[in-house]
Each structure stands twice: as C-alpha cells, then as structure tokens.
Amino acid sequence: MTYAAIILTGGRGERLGGVDKAALSYRDATLLDHVLSVVDDASEIIVVGPEKDIPNVIWAREDPPGGGPLAGLAAGLSKTTEDWVAVLAVDQPGITEDTIARLLQAKGNAVLKDDRTQWLIGVWNAAELRRAIPEDPRDQPLRKTLQLLDPVEVSALPGEARDVDTPDDLDTLHSG
C-alpha cells in the first residue's frame, strides 16, 4: 500500500526546557533523522515544523505556529494527495519500519497501543481525516478528533511506543 508520512515536529518541548526535539541526538543522528529513516518507503514525506536543510522532504507549518498537533496534522494533510497517511511525532525513538508495516497491514485506520493509545503513531485514511478535522483545528485535542475514526489498535512491542517528553526520557534515550 502506498502512503504519505506526516511527521509532526512543531511541539514546544516545554518539559525539556524548550529544546527542539527534532534536533536531539539519537544513535549518531537526530530524532528527526530516525523517524525519516523509518518512513523512507513513503511516497511523500511531509515534515510539519520549522524548516531544516533536509532533501526530499515537503515542509509544512501549522497556522499559527504552535497551534498544536491537530493544526500540524491539518497542515501536513494539505500537502498530500495520497489516500493513506502515517502520522508520527518526531519524539518516538522506539518506532521502526516494522511498526509502520504492522499499522499498514490493518488495512484501515490504525493506532499503536501499549498501556495507552498512542495517537501520534498511526495510519489513517486521508479522506476520513480531512472530514474529521474541525475547520479551525488550532489548540483542539488531537485524540478527540482521531477517536471519531474508530481505529484498530495494534499492540506495541516492548519499547516501541516510548517517547521523549522529560529530562528522564532524554537520559533513558542516551543511555539506551
């Protein structure tokens, strides 16, 4: 199945002192480099957030900048014509190409689930997403909108759904 990838990088990283999560070091690269490598088979890769010098990426920006993940998703969605999109946050070092393959195998809207539903690790029908997103998505809850699409929950493998939100998460990332 062909798909576009939408990677959300526009968060403020407040719990990490305002750092740019996309630029955080991970395995001799950055978190953004990692997520880009996981979706290198996507027909289009759309990164939503401050533009960086990275080739073969379509850049988008939520309006207004800092308008939240749903506004970021709307901005990324406006840049693709694919029928299916993988939606990912940049701070997900546990995801792999296999994660995306398992989500795509659901052949419908799907999200990763460990002890909680991981709304920023999923595959979605683009037309259904466009209909579900409110006219003004800024500062609206992403989870509430995505729940309307009744996704299949795909069980996460150990460590697959971890993210980097706090200094402890960052320490774990660098010690792993």
Side-chain angles (χ1 to χ4, degrees):
M1 175 187 317
T2 62
Y3 72 99
I6 298 173
I7 303 168
L8 304 177
T9 70
R12 294 186 283 275
E14 290 174 349
R15 291 182 281 177
L16 283 168
V19 302
D20 175 7
K21 288 185 184 182
L24 287 174
S25 176
Y26 180 65
R27 294 186 179 166
D28 300 324
T30 65
L31 282 177
L32 180 55
D33 292 329
H34 169 71
V35 177
L36 290 171
S37 75
V38 167
V39 295
D40 67 355
D41 64 336
S43 63
E44 301 169 319
I45 299 174
I46 300 138
V47 179
V48 181
E51 196 165 329
K52 300 178 184 319
D53 186 22
I54 299 174
N56 304 316
V57 167
I58 300 164
W59 291 93
R61 192 72 170 133
E62 70 272 22
D63 183 27
L70 190 59
L73 175 55
L77 201 54
S78 74
K79 300 286 185 173
T80 184
T81 58
E82 280 292 343
D83 292 335
W84 292 94
V85 293
V87 177
L88 305 167
V90 75
D91 67 343
Q92 306 285 347
I95 61 171
T96 65
E97 291 174 356
D98 181 63
T99 309
I100 305 305
R102 290 190 347 266
L103 289 165
L104 288 168
Q105 286 171 358
K107 297 194 185 316
N109 297 322
V111 292
L112 199 67
K113 181 173 173 69
D114 58 354
D115 58 330
R116 62 188 171 94
T117 304
Q118 300 294 327
W119 295 107
L120 288 174
I121 307 175
V123 169
W124 303 92
N125 177 278
E128 291 179 28
L129 264 180
R130 286 184 181 97
R131 286 191 296 270
I133 293 175
E135 188 174 321
D136 182 3
R138 85 185 131 175
D139 300 322
Q140 296 294 316
L142 178 88
R143 171 187 45 81
K144 185 176 177 183
T145 298
L146 296 181
Q147 281 177 327
L148 298 172
L149 302 178
D150 196 27
V152 170
E153 293 177 342
V154 175
S155 296
L157 300 175
E160 193 172 35
R162 69 183 169 143
D163 57 9
V164 180
D165 288 330
T166 67
D168 285 345
D169 296 338
L170 188 57
D171 290 344
T172 300
L173 176 68
H174 288 136
S175 66

